[in-house]
Amino acid sequence: MIRHHLSLLAVAGLLVAASPSLAATSGGFVLAPQATPQAETKEYFQDVNQIRRLIADKKDLFFPGETANREYPFVVLPSEMTGSAKLILTLQTAISVAPERSAMRIFVNDRDIGTVNLKSGDAHQVELELPKGLLQPGYNAVTVLLDQSHRVDCSVEATYELWTQIDPGRSGFVFTRNAIDDPSDVSTLLAYSRDVNGHAAINGLITRGAAGEDIDRTFAVVQALSILGHFDRPVVTVGNEVGSGPGIDLVVGTFGTVRDLIGVTPQQSGVEFDIDPASGRSRMIVAARTADELASTIREFTLRAQTELTDGSPQGRRALGNRRGRLLASGSENSLAELGLVSRPFAGRHFQQSIAFSLPADFYPGDYGAANLKLNAEYAAGLSPSAQMVVRANGDTVANIRLGEGRSGRIEGQVLPIPLAKLRPGYNVIEFEAELSTAADAVCDPATLSNPTARFFIKGDSTLNIPAFAQIGHAPDLAVVSAGKARFGGGDGATPLYVEGMDETMLGAAGSFLAKMAYASREVSPVSVTSGWPLDRQGPLLAFGTFSGFSGQLKSDLGIDLNPIATDAALSLDQNQAQAAPTEEAAPALSIDGVAAAPENARPTSVVARLREGVDNILEGIKVRVRIQAAELGLVDDPAVLTEEAGYQVSAEADMLVAQRLVNDRDVWTVVAVREPAVLGESMRSLAQADVWGGLSGSVNTLTREGVVIDRKLAAHERLYETKPLSLQNGRLIVAGWFSNNAREFTIAQILVAILLGASTYLVLRQGRKP
C-alpha cells in the first residue's frame, strides 16, 4: 500500500505543474490548475512611476535554491477595478540554471495567471495580464512558486548556486483607470506611501524648537498610521522640510502650527489627505482648533487604526497576517497551510521551507510544556542513508527524522515536540530542512535530470498545536519589546522617551522604532519625549542616543560601557544564529547540533584510535553537560548570562546596541544606541527586517549595521508583571514556568520537599508504633 501511494507521489512530482489542487486546506494557499500556456512574453521597459510596487525589498524578492514559495500583499484602489491590470516583473537568473527545467509560476488571489520560464543572462522584463474581476478593492495577494534546476551538477552543494532576483524598483502592477481616486480615502494614501524597496517612508513635520508635546502627538499618529497601513518596515524622519519621492509628509498640530509649517490653514478639524499619484508623494494633515480638540482627533484616529477591519480579498488578508506572523492563542490548533506552508511534492535534493507565527507579548517561555508539531509527510524510496529532515524553532534544532531507509515511507501524524523554551514572545519561525540525495545523484545522468521524480512532500494538513501557556509580563527581555511592549504595569501613563540632544536624526530613529513596535502589537504606545536624562532610577524609560553621548549615563545607571574594546568576535557569538551559506561555497551537511560532519577520510583508521576518540567524545559530552548544569544552578558563571551586578563592555565590532535592564525592583529601561549618526539610517533599516527584529531577545544585544548579531546576553533575574486577572490554571503555569527558568531554586525546593516528606513519614511511622 505504501509503495502504491508513493508511486502516485512520484507521478505527481512529474506532473506538478499541471496538477489540480494539492493543498486544499481551509485558510491556506491552494495550488490551482495551471493557466493556458501563453506565447513568449514581450520584453519592454515600463515607466517606473506607473508601477504599483510589491510590498517587498530586494531581500524579499531573492529566490535561492531549488524551490521557493513567497507571498506578497499589494493594494488595489476602487478606481483601478474598472480598467485592466497587468503584472510587470524585471528579473535575473543565475547562469547555472537549466532553462528547460526551471520556471516561475505566478498566482494572484490563488488564481494562476501564468508561468515565466527562467533563463540566464541579463535582467529582462516580462508581463502577465490579469483576468477581469480577479482583484478586489483593498489588499490582494500575489504568490510566487519557483522551481530551479542545475544544468550539470546533482550535488547538494550545487543547489546553492541556483537563484533568481526580482528587481523591486521595476516590478509590480500597472493599472488603467476609468475613474478618479477619492483623495479622502486612507487606502489611496497607503497605495503610494512605499519607496522602491517596500519601506514605508513617513516624514513627520515639526516646527523649529517644537515642544515635546508636539512631538508626542506626531509619534502617536505615526504609530497609528503604521498599524493602519500594515507598515512592517517603517522609515520615519523628523524635520521641518517636506520630503521628495514616494512617502508621506505628516503634519500634526493646531491650525496655527499647521499654517506655520506648510503655509496652509485647514478648513476644519480632522484628518485630510493630499495625494500626488505621479510622484507618489502624499501629505496627511491631522489638525484641530485647540489642543484639547486635537487630542480628541488623535484618539479617534488611533482607535480607528486599532479596530478597523482590513479591506481586500481573503488571500490579501491572509498574506498580511502571515507577513506579520499570525497571532496564535493559548491552546490553539493551526494547520501549516494556514501558517503559510505551500504544500507540493518536491523533486530536488535540498528542501527548505519555513512558517512564521506570533505569540503574545506576555507569553512566558520555559521548559514547562511543549508545542506539538503533528507532521503528515511522505518520502520516496532510494534516498541515501544520510537523508534526513531537520526541524528548527528560531534557529534551534528541535527534531530530526531519518529518511534514508531504502524504501518509500509515509509519516502519519508523527508528533514532534517543540519545547516552549524554544519559542518567544512576538515573531517565531519554524524551519523545515531536508537533505534528499540519492545514489543516482552521483552519476548525474541527464536523463534523470530531465525526468525528476518527487522525493519529499509535507502535507498542508499537518498541524502546529499550541498548548495552554503561562501569560505574564516579564522583563528584562528584548523579545517582549519586539512583540510591541516596552513596559508592563506602572499605570497607563506615557513612557518617558529620552532622545539625545533632541536631534532630528535621532528623533527619526525613535519614531521608526515606535512604529515597528506598533506594527507588531497593533497598539499605540503613549510616550513623553524629553532631552533630560532621569535624575533618579525610578519609572520606565525608552532612550535613544549615540555611544559617545550615552557613555556616562549608561555606565553609571545600567552598567553598560560603550567605550568599545577590540575583540576577535567578527561574527555572532550566539551559537543558535544561523549564517547563510555563500552561493560560491559548499554548504555543510545537515547535522543535529549545527556542526558540520567531519569528512570520512579525516576519521582515525586504527581501532585503538577510534576507541580513544569515542572515549574522548563521551568525556567531553559529560563535561559539557556538567558545565551547563552547574551554570543553571548558579555554581559557576555562565558567560551567556548577565547578572544584575555585572557590567557589560561593548565590542569594537558593534555598530548598534539594544539593551533592557532592571534599574530597581520594578522598572526596566530600554535603550538603543548607535556608534555614530552616520550609520543610524542603515542600522535602523536593518533592525526593522523581520529576521533581525524577530531575533531580539535577552537583556543585551549588539549588532553590526547590517543586522548581524555580535553578542547576546541573557538576564540572570527577571521581574514579573501581571497582565491579566490571575486564574488557577494560569497561576499554575506561571509557577511551573518560573521554576523551569530558575533551576537552582527548583533544586532547593525539591530538596526541601524531600526533607519534609521524610520527616512526615518518620513521624507517622513513630505515631503508628504507639499502643
Side-chain angles (χ1 to χ4, degrees):
M1 183 65 184
I2 291 178
R3 292 180 182 273
H4 174 70
H5 195 86
L6 265 294
S7 67
L8 295 179
L9 174 61
V11 173
L14 290 172
L15 302 177
V16 64
S19 64
S21 174
L22 293 170
T25 305
S26 175
F29 176 78
V30 177
L31 188 58
Q34 186 173 4
T36 303
Q38 299 181 358
E40 181 67 21
T41 53
K42 298 181 296 183
E43 295 190 9
Y44 68 96
F45 290 92
Q46 187 77 24
D47 181 359
V48 295
N49 290 327
Q50 299 179 20
I51 297 178
R52 177 72 47 75
R53 298 180 182 88
L54 303 175
I55 303 178
D57 61 10
K58 191 172 183 179
K59 183 178 179 181
D60 292 328
L61 294 168
F62 181 73
F63 302 87
E66 296 170 287
T67 185
N69 312 301
R70 303 279 177 81
E71 189 171 51
Y72 312 97
F74 63 97
V75 178
V76 177
L77 301 176
S79 66
E80 295 164 342
M81 301 294 299
T82 59
S84 60
K86 61 183 176 181
L87 174 62
I88 305 291
L89 294 176
T90 303
L91 60 131
Q92 185 175 14
T93 301
I95 60 172
S96 56
V97 75
E100 69 278 7
R101 300 188 301 273
S102 303
M104 177 184 292
R105 194 171 168 190
I106 311 296
F107 296 78
V108 172
N109 288 341
D110 289 359
R111 182 171 175 181
D112 192 345
I113 65 168
T115 298
V116 177
N117 293 325
L118 300 177
K119 57 183 180 180
S120 60
D122 296 333
H124 60 285
Q125 195 173 75
V126 298
E127 65 173 3
L128 298 168
E129 296 289 337
L130 271 63
K132 294 282 187 179
L134 176 59
L135 302 177
Q136 295 185 25
Y139 286 94
N140 295 257
V142 55
T143 306
V144 177
L145 306 185
L146 183 139
D147 292 292
Q148 299 177 122
S149 181
H150 207 285
R151 286 179 179 272
V152 294
D153 196 339
C154 296
S155 66
V156 172
E157 290 78 9
T159 63
Y160 290 94
E161 300 174 0
L162 301 171
W163 57 265
T164 293
Q165 176 72 68
I166 295 178
D167 184 352
R170 297 188 294 166
S171 300
F173 291 87
V174 177
F175 304 92
T176 60
R177 306 176 197 163
N178 298 323
I180 300 175
D181 297 323
D182 181 2
S184 65
D185 186 358
V186 70
S187 64
T188 307
L189 174 78
L190 303 178
Y192 296 102
S193 59
R194 288 180 169 84
D195 62 16
V196 294
N197 287 313
H199 297 89
I202 306 174
N203 180 36
L205 294 175
I206 60 173
T207 57
R208 295 184 185 276
E213 60 183 7
D214 293 329
I215 303 174
D216 298 343
R217 297 184 187 119
T218 300
F219 280 168
V221 178
V222 164
Q223 294 180 72
L225 194 56
S226 183
I227 297 171
L228 195 62
H230 302 276
F231 294 158
D232 60 328
R233 282 162 299 178
V235 178
V236 178
T237 55
V238 175
N240 48 49
E241 299 290 337
V242 297
S244 60
I248 302 170
D249 290 317
L250 175 63
V251 186
V252 181
T254 59
F255 285 1
T257 300
V258 174
R259 183 179 59 251
D260 294 341
L261 282 169
I262 60 176
V264 175
T265 302
Q267 298 298 316
Q268 59 184 3
S269 299
V271 181
E272 298 179 4
F273 304 107
D274 182 12
I275 301 161
D276 181 9
S279 65
R281 197 72 195 173
S282 305
R283 186 171 66 190
M284 176 178 174
I285 302 173
V286 182
R289 289 181 174 82
T290 65
D292 290 342
E293 189 179 359
L294 179 61
S296 177
T297 301
I298 293 174
R299 282 196 299 270
E300 291 176 2
F301 183 72
T302 298
L303 181 62
R304 174 188 175 185
Q306 295 177 149
T307 59
E308 184 171 279
L309 297 177
T310 301
D311 291 332
S313 67
Q315 296 85 358
R317 293 192 293 270
R318 179 192 69 208
L320 287 172
N322 287 336
R323 189 173 183 84
R324 177 186 283 109
R326 189 182 302 272
L327 184 64
L328 303 187
S330 177
S332 62
E333 179 177 320
N334 314 271
S335 73
L336 298 193
E338 292 173 333
L339 299 177
L341 182 84
V342 176
S343 179
R344 56 185 181 133
F346 176 73
R349 294 146 286 170
H350 188 206
F351 174 87
Q352 282 186 299
Q353 199 172 161
S354 63
I355 58 172
F357 59 91
S358 293
L359 292 173
D362 60 354
F363 162 69
Y364 191 37
D367 281 324
Y368 59 94
N372 290 326
L373 177 63
K374 192 174 181 181
L375 186 66
N376 298 321
E378 296 172 354
Y379 56 93
L383 298 180
S384 300
S386 61
Q388 60 180 323
M389 182 187 73
V390 175
V391 181
R392 297 186 179 91
N394 296 324
D396 287 349
T397 298
V398 294
N400 178 287
I401 299 177
R402 299 289 177 179
L403 305 175
E405 298 180 353
R407 55 186 176 84
S408 60
R410 184 176 182 178
I411 301 171
E412 189 75 34
Q414 180 165 347
V415 176
L416 306 176
I418 302 175
L420 293 181
K422 302 296 184 183
L423 303 179
R424 38 168 290 135
Y427 193 74
N428 292 265
V429 177
I430 304 295
E431 300 170 280
F432 303 93
E433 184 176 1
E435 192 275 307
L436 303 164
S437 59
T438 66
D441 293 336
V443 179
C444 203
D445 185 358
T448 303
L449 285 173
S450 60
N451 294 284
T453 58
R455 302 185 184 188
F456 190 57
F457 179 30
I458 295 181
K459 298 182 180 180
D461 61 358
S462 301
T463 59
L464 177 64
N465 303 320
I466 302 296
F469 53 73
Q471 290 188 259
I472 191 166
H474 57 283
D477 186 0
L478 290 171
V480 175
V481 177
S482 73
K485 286 283 189 180
R487 60 178 288 186
F488 282 114
D492 298 326
T495 300
L497 174 62
Y498 170 83
V499 178
E500 181 186 327
M502 297 296 282
D503 177 75
E504 291 182 352
T505 305
M506 203 61 67
L507 281 169
S512 299
F513 197 88
L514 289 170
K516 181 68 177 183
M517 286 177 56
Y519 167 80
S521 64
R522 298 189 63 84
E523 294 181 8
V524 172
S525 301
V527 295
S528 176
V529 177
T530 178
S531 60
W533 189 259
L535 298 179
D536 56 17
R537 293 191 282 181
Q538 297 295 325
L541 179 69
L542 182 60
F544 292 80
T546 61
F547 282 12
S548 59
F550 256 169
S551 182
Q553 295 95 327
L554 293 197
K555 188 171 184 179
S556 61
D557 290 337
L558 298 183
I560 298 175
D561 190 349
L562 292 176
N563 294 314
I565 58 172
T567 69
D568 295 330
L571 295 176
S572 169
L573 298 182
D574 179 9
Q575 298 302 315
N576 298 325
Q577 178 80 13
Q579 301 294 332
T583 56
E584 65 272 10
E585 294 182 5
L590 290 175
S591 61
I592 298 176
D593 57 4
V595 180
E600 289 296 327
N601 56 9
R603 293 178 58 84
T605 55
S606 70
V607 175
V608 175
R610 290 197 178 194
L611 288 174
R612 185 181 295 114
E613 181 191 42
V615 173
D616 291 342
N617 289 337
I618 293 174
L619 292 176
E620 183 61 30
I622 294 174
K623 290 179 182 178
V624 170
R625 292 305 308 165
V626 170
R627 198 159 51 238
I628 292 174
Q629 192 64 37
E632 290 179 348
L633 294 175
L635 303 177
V636 298
D637 291 334
D638 187 346
V641 175
L642 196 63
T643 63
E644 289 184 273
E645 302 79 15
Y648 179 79
Q649 176 74 59
V650 70
S651 69
E653 290 78 15
D655 292 314
M656 178 169 49
L657 173 138
V658 185
Q660 187 179 75
R661 301 203 73 179
L662 284 165
V663 291
N664 54 46
D665 291 338
R666 179 174 181 80
D667 300 309
V668 293
W669 287 4
T670 305
V671 298
V672 180
V674 294
R675 178 178 301 282
E676 52 187 353
V679 304
L680 182 59
E682 183 180 359
S683 298
M684 294 307 297
R685 282 175 170 81
S686 298
L687 186 63
Q689 294 288 343
D691 56 341
V692 180
W693 181 265
L696 294 176
S697 62
S699 178
V700 177
N701 289 190
T702 54
L703 308 93
T704 67
R705 68 189 70 181
E706 294 84 12
V708 177
V709 176
I710 295 293
D711 195 9
R712 177 177 289 122
K713 297 292 185 183
L714 305 178
H717 303 282
E718 61 185 358
R719 176 79 167 89
L720 301 182
Y721 302 89
E722 185 177 328
T723 59
K724 57 187 301 185
L726 190 64
S727 64
L728 180 61
Q729 182 188 32
N730 194 43
R732 178 181 61 81
L733 292 171
I734 291 170
V735 171
W738 187 87
F739 273 124
S740 72
N741 293 323
N742 295 270
R744 180 175 57 187
E745 286 77 3
F746 180 61
T747 302
I748 293 173
Q750 285 182 309
I751 294 172
L752 290 176
V753 169
I755 292 173
L756 291 175
L757 180 61
S760 61
T761 302
Y762 174 75
L763 291 175
V764 168
L765 293 176
R766 280 182 59 91
Q767 292 294 330
R769 285 197 296 265
K770 290 182 179 181

